[in-house]
């Protein structure tokens, strides 16, 4: 009997076909709708491996559903949707997809920064809606990006890659991180700052920090009040890092100039979300790593991790280093 892999989202046929000779594969048949929790638990009861999305809650009820599960491969760098303590207790390897999406996510982050600064979405809608009647000196005038100060909160690999892109715009680079990044300081001219210094001095504050107990609601109303009134806030990390009510109030009260958001506290958001009512907010549907090339690479890495564990080998990118497959 072949080991059974369950995939929680519809993947391209060429990806799934590559493993069907060796494994039995089950797959949720819809691309844009999450697998129902009850069905996920039923599949987990018989699965040797799960290939999951960041939006799937892989909690205790899923991990304890059966006695065959050996590996969960998450199609993301983040893994805050997975109960690591239970996975460790059950001897289940949890894998992610680091490194392969660094450049792509940095591209999107900087694109979001530029779109927000230069009011690209507003300008496009003006044309599409037939409201462009004439040229005027300050028609949809935005903010320059070049020669400004960018402050990066969370200087991991993606943060460093965003900083690299900022050098092309002759930007001053501040960063805040749990540890100093001396190589980035040498090679990119990045300057380590306290969180308070970065927030108050930066023209663009870019949030790339992971979601932890200490970073949840890191960006509060008090923090937004410390920013420049001309500051633009960008979040491409995790939604709960921001107090969304505080951000909304800061924008309405003109305490900051704008925000570009690829992530939200609860996803997907509804069309009546307060932040979507504001013209100085650019909102994207969590597409940081969404290029064809990168997403295909991520899928294959997930399957390579699964194949390694089910073949008795060490996975390529394991999160919980102390995992041990149950005998």
């Amino acid at each position: 009997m072949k080991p059974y892999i369950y995939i929680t989202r519809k993947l391209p046929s060429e990806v799934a076909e590559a493993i069907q000779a060796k494994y039995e594969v089950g797959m949720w048949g819809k691309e844009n709708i999450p697998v129902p929790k009850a069905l996920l638990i039923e599949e987990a009861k018989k699965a040797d491996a799960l290939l999951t999305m960041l939006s799937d809650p892989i909690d205790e009820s899923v991990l304890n559903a059966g006695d065959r599960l050996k590996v969960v491969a998450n199609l993301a760098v983040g893994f805050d949707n997975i109960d690591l303590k239970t996975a460790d207790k059950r001897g289940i390897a949890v894998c992610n997809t680091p490194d392969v999406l660094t450049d792509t996510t940095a591209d999107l982050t900087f694109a979001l920064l530029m779109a927000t600064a230069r009011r690209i979405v507003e300008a496009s809608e003006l044309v599409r809606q037939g409201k462009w009647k004439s040229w005027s000196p300050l028609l949809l005038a935005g903010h320059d990006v070049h020669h400004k100060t960018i402050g990066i909160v969370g200087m991991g690999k993606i943060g460093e890659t965003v900083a690299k892109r900022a050098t092309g715009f002759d930007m001053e680079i501040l960063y805040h991180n749990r540890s100093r990044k001396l190589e980035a300081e040498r090679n990119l001219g990045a300057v380590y700052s306290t969180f308070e210094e970065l927030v108050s001095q930066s023209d663009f504050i870019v949030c790339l920090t992971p979601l932890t107990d200490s970073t949840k609601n890191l960006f509060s109303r008090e923090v937004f009040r410390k920013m420049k009134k001309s500051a633009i806030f960008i979040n491409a990390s995790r939604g709960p890092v921001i107090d969304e009510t505080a951000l909304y109030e800061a924008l309405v009260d003109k305490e900051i100039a704008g925000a570009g958001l690829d992530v939200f506290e609860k996803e997907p958001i509804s069309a009546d979300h307060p932040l979507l009512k504001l013209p100085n907010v650019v909102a994207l549907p969590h597409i940081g790593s969404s290029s064809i090339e990168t997403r295909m690479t991520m899928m294959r890495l997930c399957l390579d991790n699964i194949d390694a564990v089910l073949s008795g080998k060490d996975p390529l990118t394991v999160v919980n280093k102390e995992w041990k497959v149950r005998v």
Side-chain angles (χ1 to χ4, degrees), residues 223-290:
V223 170
F224 287 119
R225 283 182 174 138
K226 292 178 180 178
M227 295 180 184
K228 297 179 179 181
K229 291 188 180 298
S230 59
I232 289 174
F233 178 74
I234 305 296
N235 188 15
S237 59
R238 290 291 180 268
V241 172
I242 308 171
D243 180 337
E244 290 184 352
T245 300
L247 174 60
Y248 175 81
E249 292 171 349
L251 290 163
V252 169
D253 293 344
K254 298 183 179 180
E255 292 171 349
I256 63 173
L261 308 170
D262 186 42
V263 290
F264 295 86
E265 185 176 358
K266 294 181 180 179
E267 298 177 357
I269 63 171
S270 62
D272 60 357
H273 193 292
L275 286 167
L276 300 186
K277 307 299 182 183
L278 304 179
N280 54 345
V281 171
V282 177
L284 303 179
H286 203 151
I287 56 170
S289 63
S290 188

Side-chain angles (χ1 to χ4, degrees), residues 174-244:
L174 305 181
Y175 78 95
H176 180 71
N177 200 57
R178 287 181 299 178
S179 58
R180 295 276 297 269
K181 294 300 182 81
L182 299 179
E183 186 173 344
E185 293 179 17
R186 287 192 299 268
N187 296 339
L188 302 173
V191 176
Y192 177 80
S193 302
T194 66
F195 181 68
E196 291 74 18
E197 289 171 341
L198 183 149
V199 164
S200 64
Q201 296 176 16
S202 299
D203 298 298
F204 298 92
I205 296 94
V206 179
C207 179
L208 290 166
T209 186
L211 176 61
T212 65
D213 290 340
S214 62
T215 62
K216 186 175 182 179
N217 287 331
L218 174 65
F219 288 91
S220 62
R221 187 69 191 279
E222 181 182 356
V223 170
F224 287 119
R225 283 182 174 138
K226 292 178 180 178
M227 295 180 184
K228 297 179 179 181
K229 291 188 180 298
S230 59
I232 289 174
F233 178 74
I234 305 296
N235 188 15
S237 59
R238 290 291 180 268
V241 172
I242 308 171
D243 180 337
E244 290 184 352

Side-chain angles (χ1 to χ4, degrees), residues 26-281:
M27 182 163 43
W28 176 240
K30 299 180 180 180
E31 293 182 12
N32 299 316
I33 300 175
V35 60
K37 183 68 175 295
L39 177 58
L40 177 57
I41 291 173
E42 286 301 310
E43 293 292 343
K45 286 181 181 179
K46 58 184 180 180
D48 296 276
L50 295 175
L51 196 163
T52 59
M53 308 296 122
L54 186 64
S55 55
D56 297 322
I58 309 301
D59 56 19
E60 190 174 10
S61 65
V62 175
L63 296 172
N64 287 332
D67 59 4
R68 293 174 53 177
L69 189 60
K70 298 178 179 64
V71 55
V72 176
N74 215 36
L75 192 79
V77 172
F79 45 87
D80 46 89
N81 59 312
I82 301 174
D83 183 345
L84 285 181
K85 289 183 179 179
T86 299
D88 282 340
K89 187 184 301 183
R90 300 281 296 180
I92 299 168
V94 175
C95 303
N96 64 343
T97 58
D99 302 331
V100 297
L101 51 71
T102 298
D103 281 295
T104 301
T105 305
D107 286 349
L108 187 282
T109 302
F110 213 86
L112 182 56
L113 182 155
M114 294 186 67
T116 308
R118 294 300 305 271
R119 303 174 67 180
I120 299 298
V121 175
E122 288 180 82
S124 177
E125 287 303 307
L126 186 81
V127 176
R128 289 177 179 276
Q129 294 171 10
K131 296 179 179 179
W132 182 25
K133 302 303 182 182
S134 66
W135 186 92
S136 61
L138 291 177
L139 175 65
L140 287 168
H143 298 260
D144 281 333
V145 175
H146 60 86
H147 297 108
K148 294 293 184 71
T149 298
I150 184 172
I152 300 172
V153 180
M155 195 69 156
K157 291 182 178 179
I158 295 172
E160 289 190 39
T161 309
V162 169
K164 183 178 179 181
R165 280 142 181 72
T167 62
F169 287 78
D170 295 318
M171 301 181 82
E172 297 292 328
I173 302 166
L174 305 181
Y175 78 95
H176 180 71
N177 200 57
R178 287 181 299 178
S179 58
R180 295 276 297 269
K181 294 300 182 81
L182 299 179
E183 186 173 344
E185 293 179 17
R186 287 192 299 268
N187 296 339
L188 302 173
V191 176
Y192 177 80
S193 302
T194 66
F195 181 68
E196 291 74 18
E197 289 171 341
L198 183 149
V199 164
S200 64
Q201 296 176 16
S202 299
D203 298 298
F204 298 92
I205 296 94
V206 179
C207 179
L208 290 166
T209 186
L211 176 61
T212 65
D213 290 340
S214 62
T215 62
K216 186 175 182 179
N217 287 331
L218 174 65
F219 288 91
S220 62
R221 187 69 191 279
E222 181 182 356
V223 170
F224 287 119
R225 283 182 174 138
K226 292 178 180 178
M227 295 180 184
K228 297 179 179 181
K229 291 188 180 298
S230 59
I232 289 174
F233 178 74
I234 305 296
N235 188 15
S237 59
R238 290 291 180 268
V241 172
I242 308 171
D243 180 337
E244 290 184 352
T245 300
L247 174 60
Y248 175 81
E249 292 171 349
L251 290 163
V252 169
D253 293 344
K254 298 183 179 180
E255 292 171 349
I256 63 173
L261 308 170
D262 186 42
V263 290
F264 295 86
E265 185 176 358
K266 294 181 180 179
E267 298 177 357
I269 63 171
S270 62
D272 60 357
H273 193 292
L275 286 167
L276 300 186
K277 307 299 182 183
L278 304 179
N280 54 345
V281 171

